[in-house]
Amino acid sequence: MKHAQTLNSEMPKAFDPLAIEAGWYARWEADGLFIADPASDQPKFAMCFPPPNITGELHMGHALQAAVYDLIARYKRMTGYEVLFLPGYDHAAIATQNVIEKQLAREGTTKEELGRDHFNARVDAWYEEVGAQIINQLRLLGASMDWTRLRFTMDARYVRAVTTAFVEFYKHGWIYRAPRIVNWCPHDRSAISDLEVEWREHQDTLYFVKYPIEGGGDLTIATVRPETMLADTGVAVNPADGRYRNLVGKTAVLPLVGRKLPIVADDAVETAFGTGALKVTPGHDPTDYEIGQRHGLEIVNGMNLDGSMNVPGLPYDGLGALEARARIVADLKEQGLLVREEPYTHEVGHCDRCHAVIEPLISEQWWLRMEELRDHALAASEAGKVRWHPERYERTYLDWLRGLRDWNIGRQLWLGHRVPVFYCANGHTTVSVEPPSNCDECGNAELTQDPDVLDTWFSSALWPFATLGWPDQTEDLKAFYPTDINCTAREIINLWVSRMIMTGLEFMGDVPFSDVVIHCVVQAPDGRRMSKSLGTGVDPRDLMSKYGADALRAWATSVAMSSQDVRFDESRVEGYRRFCNKLWNATRLVLGSPGVDSADSPGIVERHEHLEDRWILSRLSYAADAVTAGIERFTFQDSINAAYSFAWNEFCDWYLEAVKDRLREGDAVAQDVAFQCLDTLLRFLHPFMPFVTEELWSRLPRREDYLMRNSWPEPQFVDPGAEEEFQEVMAIVEEVRGHRQAAGAPPRGGKLRLDGSVNHSIARLVARLAHVDLVDAPEARGTPLAVVAGRVAFPSGAGDARREKERKRLEDDLARIEARLESSDFQEKAPPEVVKNLEERATAAREALNRLADQDS
RNA sequence: GGGCGGUUAGCUCAGUUGGCUAGAGCGCCUCGCUUACACCGAGGAGGUCGUUGGUUCAAGUCCAUCACCGCCCACCA
C-alpha cells in the first residue's frame, strides 16, 4: 500500500516528475489495479490497444494514441466500470522482414545466405528485444494496461485463431485461389494488397511509338513503360473514336518482337490521352488485363518475380526494367519507330514497406470474397451499431466498403502466419486448423503445406476477439466482447478498422466496438511528416525525461481530436509541465497551513459566510461538468482547457490569493474548501495526468486508497449570486492594479474608499486582493488611491492616460451598441434576451462613462 | 479525377446549435525575487478571423465562388 505522509515540508519547491512516476506505476501494478476481472458485477468496459508493429520504438503517434486510450480507461474505472485495457503487439510480417533484411544488408549478408532457420531465430530475438522496449515505453507513459493479458499475434493461441478464421472462411467458400493481376513487389517478391500501395509522383517520359499495321499503314501509341510492350498482345481504341474506326478488326505488328496484335475497340480507352490508341499488355497492367479479358487477348508474362525481364530469345531477357527500357527506346529510335518523347508527370505505385516500384503482374494468389462480409458491415452501420468521432469518417469508411473488391490475403514472405492448406502427393487439398497427418480425400500421409503466408492485416482483423480467447468461449470473451472503443489514425480505417468490423460480425455476430475515435496526426514543427529517416521525428521518451509523462499526455490529449493535423510545438508540452508545477505548489501552500491534519475534509461546507468559498465551489462544479462533458463527447481539449483554467486562473490566481491569510491562521473552513477543490481537481485531472495527481492526492489528509481507483467527482454546488459578486471583486481589483501600474505606483499599499453601494464581502476581498486599506474618506494629501462610485481613480491626475484610453474604448463600444439598438429590425426580430443583454451593456457603459466624467470634475 | 479537412495574434492552436466586446499557451514589451510556485506574479502591445459575393436584425460561425495547404480514395497508358 501507499506510504502515508502529508507534510508539505517534505515537498520540494519544484515538482520533479521523474522522482515520482516510476514509483507510482510500480505500486499501481503491484496492487493489481490494471487487472480486469471478468467475474466482476460492475458494468464492463473494454478496449484492445491497437498492437504496435514490432518494427522499432514507439513514436509520437503511439504516445498520443496511448494517452487517449489511457485517459478513457482511467475515466471509466473512476465512473464505476470494470475496465479491461488489453495490450499487445503485432508481428507485422512484411514490415519486420524488411527491418531484418536491412540489418542483414548492413552486415553484408542476406536472408537467403542465412537460411530460413537462422533467419527465424534472428526474427525471434528481434521480437523479444523490441517487444520489451515497446512495453517499457507504454509503462513510462503510465498506460494502465492489463499486462497479464499481453497478446502477440504470433502466440500459439493467436495463431490458432488466425487459422481457424481461414478455415471458416474456406468452408463458406469465400476463400479461393486464382491467377489474377496483382501488385507485385519485386523486392519483397510478394504480392501486396491495393491498400499497401503507396503512390508517388514521378517525372517520366511519355514515348510515342509507331506500330505497323498488316496490309499497310501504322498507328502510334503512347506509353511510359516501353519495356512492357514486349508483352503486348493487342491494341485498343475507343469505339467512338472516328480516327481509328476503320482499323478495328485489323492487326498490328509489335515492333522488336513481331507478334501479331489484334486491334480492338474498348470503352476503357480515353480518346483524349496520347494518341487515343492504347497498347494492351494484359500481363502487366490492370486496365489492360480487363480489356484483355473482354476481348479474349492472350496473356504474356514478360517479367520475372524479381522484376527482371522474362523475354527468352530477345536481347532484353534478364535485364532490369529501367535498363530494358533504355535499350528498347534506343532500338525503336534506330528503327525509326519512335515518333516523339514528351515529359510526363504521373503517379507510380510503390511498396509501402520497402518502397520498391510495384510491378503489376499475373500471379496465382489466395483471395477472400468480400460481398457478404461487406453487406453485413453496411447493415451494421445502417443500424447505427458503430459511431464515429468525428462523424465524417463514417463516410470515408462506407465509401471504401461500397467499392470493395476481393482481398488478396496471400503473401509470399518468409514471415507470417502460414496458410493452413496442405497438399498430398495425389494432388488433393486438405484445409485444417491443426496440421493433418493424412490427406482428407485419399489418406496419403505425404503432405506439404502451402508456402504462402497471410497478409498481416488478416490476423490483425481478428484482434478484438482473438485476444480474448476466440475461438474458445472464454470468460474474457463472454465478459468483454464486444469491446467499446477503438482509437486510431485515419490512415488505417480501411486497412484495419473496417476489417475488424467485418470479421467481428462474421465470427462473433456483433460489431467489435461501438465507437471509433480518429485522432489527428502529429507533424514535425515545419509541417513535414514526422519520420526517423527524414530526421524529423521526436522521441516521446526525450519529452518524458524533459517534461514528465504527465505533461506529454496532457499535451497529447489536448491536441488529439484537432480537426486538422497538428505541428509539434514543444513549448506546449513545456506549458503542461509548468501546469504540473503549479498544481504541486498550490497543494504545497494548502498543506502548509497549520492544523491541516485535523481539517474536516472532505465534506461539503455548510458555513457559507465567505463569498470566495461559495464562489470557488461554484466554479469547481462548473469545471467538473465541463471536464466530464469533454470526455463524453470525445473533445478532450475542452476537458483539459476547463481543468487548466479552473486550476490556474481561478483556484490559484484568485481563490488561494483570497484565502492566504485565512489559511495561515488555520481557518478550518478555508482549509476544507481548499481541500475540497484540490481533491476534486486532482480527480478529474487524473485521467489526463495520472502521476502528479496520484502523488498530490496521496498527500492530502487521510487519503488511504489510490486516487486511481476512487470515484469520478460530481460536485453540485452552484451559486450564481456568488459568481456575480465575485465578478465585481475581480473587476475592481483589476482596475486598481491597472491604475497602479499606469501611474507607476508601488504594487501594494495605499488607501481606498469604496462607494457605499459596494457590499461588505466584496469590499473585504478587494482590500485583500488589491493590497489596499479601506477608508471612509480619502485624505486630502498623500492618498494614492480613491474610488468614486465603486471605481478607482487617482485624485492627483496620475493615470489620466489610462483613463482617457478607457473612455475611448467605452465610447466606441457604446456607439456600436446604440447603433444596433436603434435598428427597428433588431428590436423586432432579435430574441428578447439578446436585446435585453445589449441594453444592459449600454447601461453599464454609460455608467462607466459617467464615473469617468465625475472624476474629471 | 472524386471526396474530406484546413486557412483566426509573431509561432502552435481553441472558438459547441450564428448574438464576439474574437480567446489560450508560447514569444514580445513594462514592472516586481510580496513567507505556494521566477517552472512565478502584476500590467500591456498585438487580429478588418485566406479572397470575392450572398443570406440575416446580426456571420469567424450559414451558402456560393476563387486561391493556396494537407489528407484519403481513384489502375488515363
Side-chain angles (χ1 to χ4, degrees), chain A residues 594-613:
Chain A
V596 288
D597 287 343
S598 56
D600 288 327
S601 181
I604 288 293
V605 184
E606 298 300 340
R607 293 152 288 177
H608 294 156
E609 66 263 37
H610 293 291
L611 169 60
E612 65 270 29
D613 294 349

Side-chain angles (χ1 to χ4, degrees), chain A residues 712-767:
Chain A
W712 189 250
E714 294 177 80
Q716 291 180 341
F717 184 92
V718 177
D719 188 337
E723 301 224 9
E724 204 172 311
E725 287 191 6
F726 205 86
Q727 290 264 329
E728 183 71 4
V729 172
M730 293 193 285
I732 298 176
V733 170
E734 277 167 355
E735 204 166 336
V736 172
R737 287 171 179 166
H739 276 89
R740 264 215 170 98
Q741 298 243 357
R748 46 180 65 206
K751 296 184 172 63
L752 183 70
R753 178 182 61 82
L754 283 171
D755 186 87
S757 66
V758 177
N759 79 35
H760 174 72
S761 298
I762 294 176
R764 176 182 61 87
L765 284 169
V766 166

Side-chain angles (χ1 to χ4, degrees), chain A residues 658-687:
Chain A
V659 298
K660 259 181 184 169
D661 293 342
R662 291 170 60 197
L663 287 175
R664 220 169 275 141
E665 292 153 11
D667 178 324
V669 176
Q671 287 172 346
D672 191 59
V673 172
F675 281 131
Q676 185 95 16
C677 289
L678 281 174
D679 175 87
T680 303
L681 174 62
L682 295 172
R683 280 173 202 263
F684 65 57
L685 271 172
H686 181 256

Side-chain angles (χ1 to χ4, degrees), chain A residues 94-106:
Chain A
I94 191 166
T96 305
Q97 181 166 318
N98 269 289
V99 170
I100 306 283
E101 279 188 298
K102 271 183 206 152
Q103 289 181 350
L104 294 176
R106 257 177 264 131

Side-chain angles (χ1 to χ4, degrees), chain A residues 725-836:
Chain A
E725 287 191 6
F726 205 86
Q727 290 264 329
E728 183 71 4
V729 172
M730 293 193 285
I732 298 176
V733 170
E734 277 167 355
E735 204 166 336
V736 172
R737 287 171 179 166
H739 276 89
R740 264 215 170 98
Q741 298 243 357
R748 46 180 65 206
K751 296 184 172 63
L752 183 70
R753 178 182 61 82
L754 283 171
D755 186 87
S757 66
V758 177
N759 79 35
H760 174 72
S761 298
I762 294 176
R764 176 182 61 87
L765 284 169
V766 166
R768 184 173 306 163
L769 290 161
H771 302 291
V772 288
D773 292 325
L774 293 181
V775 294
D776 291 332
E779 292 160 32
R781 286 176 297 118
T783 303
L785 296 167
V787 152
V788 181
R791 296 293 159 175
V792 185
F794 279 79
S796 62
D800 279 354
R802 181 187 160 91
R803 215 153 44 218
E804 198 43 50
K805 198 181 151 205
E806 176 71 1
R807 186 201 320 283
K808 180 85 173 56
R809 211 206 90 230
L810 286 167
E811 280 169 354
D812 289 350
D813 197 29
L814 185 60
R816 244 183 329 227
I817 294 169
E818 282 174 339
R820 285 178 67 188
L821 283 172
E822 279 160 20
S823 152
S824 56
D825 274 344
F826 176 75
Q827 293 285 356
E828 285 165 25
K829 295 179 182 168
E833 63 270 23
V834 173
V835 177
K836 187 172 160 240

Side-chain angles (χ1 to χ4, degrees), chain A residues 81-348:
Chain A
Y81 287 84
E82 182 66 24
V83 171
L84 169 62
F85 183 16
L86 183 146
Y89 40 82
D90 194 293
H91 66 291
I94 191 166
T96 305
Q97 181 166 318
N98 269 289
V99 170
I100 306 283
E101 279 188 298
K102 271 183 206 152
Q103 289 181 350
L104 294 176
R106 257 177 264 131
E107 294 164 21
T109 181
T110 64
K111 66 178 189 300
E112 285 77 15
E113 273 179 37
L114 209 61
R116 290 241 176 200
D117 289 346
H118 285 99
F119 182 77
N120 286 338
R122 202 49 204 248
V123 168
D124 287 343
W126 169 261
Y127 281 155
E128 204 159 311
E129 180 193 336
V130 176
Q133 276 174 14
I134 289 174
I135 289 170
N136 180 248
Q137 289 177 69
L138 290 170
R139 285 169 189 267
L140 288 177
L141 263 173
S144 56
M145 294 168 166
D146 185 346
W147 297 109
T148 66
R149 287 180 169 85
L150 179 67
R151 297 286 182 265
F152 178 38
T153 50
M154 290 305 261
D155 290 341
R157 286 179 68 185
Y158 201 98
V159 172
R160 194 161 64 87
V162 173
T163 50
T164 302
F166 184 98
V167 171
E168 291 295 316
F169 282 139
Y170 191 88
K171 284 185 191 157
H172 280 74
W174 295 349
I175 286 182
Y176 63 99
R177 191 161 166 80
R180 287 223 191 135
I181 193 145
V182 298
N183 305 298
W184 187 263
C185 173
H187 170 265
D188 293 332
R189 306 227 186 149
S190 175
I192 61 174
S193 75
D194 294 342
L195 288 174
E196 294 164 290
V197 176
E198 168 188 286
W199 294 88
R200 291 190 190 174
E201 194 173 282
H202 277 221
Q203 314 283 337
D204 271 326
T205 304
L206 188 59
Y207 300 93
F208 289 76
V209 183
K210 200 187 287 179
Y211 282 24
I213 294 174
E214 271 189 348
D218 55 53
L219 96 177
T220 301
I221 57 88
T223 179
V224 278
R225 295 204 302 157
E227 69 277 12
T228 64
M229 69 185 280
L230 303 176
D232 282 2
T233 58
V235 172
V237 297
N238 191 293
D241 193 339
R243 294 172 295 176
Y244 299 113
R245 194 162 292 147
N246 59 337
L247 294 182
V248 175
K250 292 192 173 177
T251 303
V253 179
L254 181 59
L256 310 178
V257 179
R259 185 180 302 128
K260 302 235 192 318
L261 308 176
I263 300 175
V264 301
D266 196 288
D267 286 329
V269 180
E270 297 286 331
T271 51
F273 188 88
T275 62
L278 171 70
K279 67 192 249 331
V280 183
T281 321
H284 296 285
D285 184 281
T287 307
D288 293 10
Y289 177 78
E290 282 166 18
I291 295 174
Q293 295 286 300
R294 286 196 283 269
H295 297 90
L297 299 179
E298 189 192 346
I299 296 174
V300 168
N301 175 10
M303 193 172 274
N304 297 307
L305 296 183
D306 63 357
S308 65
M309 302 307 293
N310 171 31
V311 284
L314 290 175
Y316 320 105
D317 191 40
L319 297 180
L322 291 180
E323 204 181 337
R325 182 181 300 176
R327 293 273 294 273
I328 287 165
V329 168
D331 290 348
L332 288 171
K333 207 177 271 178
E334 202 178 293
Q335 296 183 23
L337 295 173
L338 187 66
V339 179
R340 66 174 198 275
E341 304 173 28
E342 277 177 10
Y344 182 59
T345 303
H346 66 142
E347 301 266 294
V348 175

